[in-house]
Amino acid sequence: MKRLLVVATILCTVVLIIPAVLVVFLSDPAESTTTVTRTITLEEAEEQFSYVPEEDVAVTVFRTEQEQLEETPLERYVMGVVASEMHANFEMEALKAQALTARTYMVKHILQPRSEKLPEGAMVTDTTTHQVYKNEEELRELWGSDYEQNMARIQEAVLSTQGQVLTYEGEPIDALFFSTSNGYTENSEDYWGDKIPYLRSVESPWDQVSPRFTSEKQVSVAEFQEKLKVTLPDDGSVGTIAERTEGGRVARVVINGTELSGRDVRDKLGLDSSDFQWQRQGDQIAIQTRGWGHGVGMSQFGADGMAKEGRNYTDIIHHYYQGVEIESVEPFVSEMLAKAE
């Protein structure tokens, strides 16, 4: 299967950004800001942005439900990821930032594949193990009558950043992202273990508008003890949150002498976030969380909030990824070809 077909001149072309959304701010000191938008059509987007899918890098995705491989050009793959990972009605600059993270993730993955088992011929899956991906047919079914409008926005975001990737000291980065912060992002080592210089904890105050900014989950005492392999104390308490990270998430808990990381608790109990509090209520434990996701890298709701304040996608990228550059993919093309042989 011919996985990679490259015309480098297409990939490194920086397409002239033609605004698809005209925003007018009507403000009054005593009133909140009102935003009026106009979105271009899918046909207009296709006419305004230069794109030749046959001459793009190909990505082979393992479709988990169908249990089959699907090969798609890189930029079409990025469209499928952006459409699946971020709301299509988010601000255009946030969608552009998401396009950059999705493309960078895939380029990095081609150059430095993880040592994980994949079906023969597959580069990535279509799940959160890598990046969620849906093709045109699935998006048409998902969006229904909104498909044309939504896809025009996704196309603009992807094609206006076509051929751009995020680098640190000349190499593509691990472009991690997540839905909603607790007000701060997380240092990489506080969740993943490895200290990565561009994945530092930064403020993200825009996330409070997210519907998943706060949440509560009830877990039975029996389930809590079984999943965490602990025995609760007899005094009716749960345990002590012994340490928090710089980003405000739980670093360490101690439950009746057993120590666990906040990530362990989140993963084993299926919590939205590792920023949590808990109380015992009879045979139930109520756990309140703040934020949604691992917290490392770019917050999607934070990106949308920054865009609503008038920041562009480069501002968003440089806020969430410290010291990175936005560069052409061209220098990595030959190595990507060699990896595919």
Side-chain angles (χ1 to χ4, degrees), residues 206-223:
W206 309 275
D207 302 63
Q208 294 185 37
V209 301
S210 169
R212 295 289 283 270
F213 182 66
T214 58
S215 184
E216 180 169 316
K217 182 172 185 174
Q218 295 281 337
V219 180
S220 71
V221 167
E223 180 184 1

Side-chain angles (χ1 to χ4, degrees), residues 17 24 54 75 87 92 100 163 175 221 235 256 283 299 317 337:
I17 300 175
V24 180
E54 295 81 8
E75 299 298 338
H87 296 291
M92 183 55 64
L100 265 177
V221 167
D235 61 5
N256 203 15
D283 63 353
S299 161
I317 288 299
L337 285 168

Side-chain angles (χ1 to χ4, degrees), residues 169-225:
E169 295 184 346
E171 296 297 327
I173 72 168
D174 281 315
L176 300 176
F177 60 89
F178 62 98
S179 169
T180 305
S181 82
N182 63 348
Y184 293 86
T185 66
E186 190 83 317
N187 289 324
S188 60
E189 66 271 21
D190 290 332
Y191 196 82
W192 300 106
D194 296 329
K195 185 174 182 177
I196 300 174
Y198 50 82
L199 295 175
R200 301 291 86 204
S201 177
V202 297
E203 285 188 276
S204 189
W206 309 275
D207 302 63
Q208 294 185 37
V209 301
S210 169
R212 295 289 283 270
F213 182 66
T214 58
S215 184
E216 180 169 316
K217 182 172 185 174
Q218 295 281 337
V219 180
S220 71
V221 167
E223 180 184 1
F224 186 92
Q225 292 184 135

